[in-house]
Every structure is written in structure tokens, then in C-alpha cells.
Amino acid sequence: MKQKMGVNKEFSRLAGCTSCAVGIASDYQNWYIAIVRNNTEKTSYHKLRALGYEVFLPIQEEVSIWKDGRKKKRDRILLPGLLFIHLTEKQRKEVVVLPYINKFMVNHAGAVNSNNRHPIAIVPTEQVEGLKFMLGDKSSTVNIEPLNLKTGDKVRIIRGNLRGLEGNVYQNSSGNSYIVIRLENLCCASVRVSLEEVAFV
């Protein structure tokens, strides 16, 4: 199998363009969204890793308290049935035929090609890295919100474990503030913050 290739600055620019999914140069790697059966995310993740692919499965550890007071840790899969895979277009065509991969998510907002097909969805690298950074803070709970979530000003967290993370501010009806990262074609990921911890970008 062809191994993961480095990402240069020019590709970082191209990765943000979802319409580039069709006909993109075969040497570039993109973050694609693979669809698998529910409850097979971890198994599929490990199989793909064993083949040498770079795979990201968004998981957060949660602690449940039983009626008798005992605590039990469990992994919460943020996006059931989905895996992020960093691939070239050639590799994607190899992966899609694997028996545990149903298909790759498409960008329904993108223009159809000559075969009347929508382009394959691509998530920009900076958005994937932002979600990884969020999940790296074990003390914060990451929430998944709809793409049409109404957000406000662009901000950067300036203190705490998530210092440096950039996103948009969202305040719910209870007055709680969150920083939100949009994942192209998919959802928004949010984590609760204090407005004293952010600065406008």
C-alpha cells in the first residue's frame, strides 16, 4: 500500500476547497469522511491503521456513575458511523472497496460532474486539527451541533488548556458560551468556554 505523503503549503490551500474533490491531483492527500456500520468504528479504525493509513476517530472518554456510586469510564464516539481518513485520490479508490467501508460522504452542495455525481466531501486539514486539539483537553466536553448553528465573532482562546484554539462564539439560551469549529459538509464541534478566556481575532 502506498504510504502517507507529506502535505505542503500549496495543498493546505487546496484542501479547503470542497469542489476540488473531483479531479484533484493524485499526489495530494485530503481528509475524507468514510461511512462504516455503527459499532464497527473502532474495528475499522484499527484495520485501516494496520494497512498504514492515517485515520482519525473522534472519541471522548466519559465517566458514568452507577446507582451504587461506582464510576465507570467509557469511550463516547462523537460521530457514530464515521471515520476521517487522510488519503490521496488513488488511495481513496483502494479504500472504498474494502468490505468494512460502505462509502465516502459526498458534498451535496457541490456542482455535479458529467456523470451527474456530486464531488466527494473534503474536510480542510485545519478543521480536523482543531477537533483533535479540542479532544486533547480531557477536562472539556465536546458537543456536536448542526451545521446551521448560528455563531458570532471569530475568537481565539488565550488561556487554559485550549489556549490557541480559534473558532466562532456561540451562546445558548441559558447564557453559556461556547467556541465552535465548523467541520465542512458535516457538523460543528463546540466546547464550553468563559468569555474571559477569549480574545477577538
Side-chain angles (χ1 to χ4, degrees), residues 61-132:
E61 188 179 83
E62 290 185 331
V63 177
S64 301
I65 301 177
W66 292 11
K67 291 182 180 180
D68 60 7
R70 286 185 298 166
K71 294 181 179 180
K72 182 179 180 180
K73 293 182 179 180
R74 70 179 186 91
D75 288 335
R76 175 172 65 101
I77 295 176
L78 267 65
L79 299 165
L82 302 179
L83 294 173
F84 295 89
I85 315 179
H86 204 207
L87 302 168
T88 64
E89 177 61 13
K90 179 181 177 182
Q91 288 173 321
R92 189 190 66 78
K93 291 178 179 178
E94 295 169 349
V95 168
V96 74
V97 298
L98 295 173
Y100 45 90
I101 302 295
N102 289 345
K103 58 184 178 179
F104 282 91
M105 186 174 289
V106 299
N107 174 15
H108 289 287
V112 297
N113 62 15
S114 57
N115 296 319
N116 202 34
R117 293 181 178 179
H118 291 283
I120 302 297
I122 291 175
V123 181
T125 299
E126 61 270 20
Q127 295 177 4
V128 174
E129 294 303 323
L131 180 55
K132 287 182 179 181

Side-chain angles (χ1 to χ4, degrees), residues 18-187:
T18 56
S19 63
C20 294
V22 175
I24 193 166
S26 60
D27 288 343
Y28 288 123
Q29 287 184 306
N30 293 294
W31 282 104
Y32 296 103
I33 307 164
I35 301 173
V36 300
R37 292 190 303 275
N38 281 351
N39 301 317
T40 67
E41 297 92 350
K42 286 185 177 181
T43 302
S44 301
Y45 168 85
H46 289 298
K47 287 179 178 178
L48 289 163
R49 288 288 302 272
L51 292 174
Y53 296 112
E54 182 182 359
V55 191
F56 172 44
L57 174 59
I59 288 179
Q60 186 156 58
E61 188 179 83
E62 290 185 331
V63 177
S64 301
I65 301 177
W66 292 11
K67 291 182 180 180
D68 60 7
R70 286 185 298 166
K71 294 181 179 180
K72 182 179 180 180
K73 293 182 179 180
R74 70 179 186 91
D75 288 335
R76 175 172 65 101
I77 295 176
L78 267 65
L79 299 165
L82 302 179
L83 294 173
F84 295 89
I85 315 179
H86 204 207
L87 302 168
T88 64
E89 177 61 13
K90 179 181 177 182
Q91 288 173 321
R92 189 190 66 78
K93 291 178 179 178
E94 295 169 349
V95 168
V96 74
V97 298
L98 295 173
Y100 45 90
I101 302 295
N102 289 345
K103 58 184 178 179
F104 282 91
M105 186 174 289
V106 299
N107 174 15
H108 289 287
V112 297
N113 62 15
S114 57
N115 296 319
N116 202 34
R117 293 181 178 179
H118 291 283
I120 302 297
I122 291 175
V123 181
T125 299
E126 61 270 20
Q127 295 177 4
V128 174
E129 294 303 323
L131 180 55
K132 287 182 179 181
F133 189 35
M134 273 187 178
L135 291 171
D137 179 18
K138 304 298 183 184
S139 63
S140 299
T141 299
V142 176
N143 304 301
I144 298 299
E145 313 283 354
L147 267 181
N148 59 1
L149 181 71
K150 292 184 179 179
T151 59
D153 296 315
K154 183 78 176 287
V155 296
R156 178 188 297 113
I157 297 180
I158 56 175
R159 60 176 65 91
N161 295 338
L162 293 175
R163 184 176 58 196
L165 180 68
E166 291 188 2
N168 293 86
V169 171
Y170 162 70
Q171 285 187 301
N172 64 15
S173 57
S174 301
N176 296 320
S177 300
Y178 296 81
I179 187 168
V180 175
I181 290 177
R182 178 186 173 93
L183 297 174
E184 207 72 36
N185 302 294
L186 192 57
C187 64

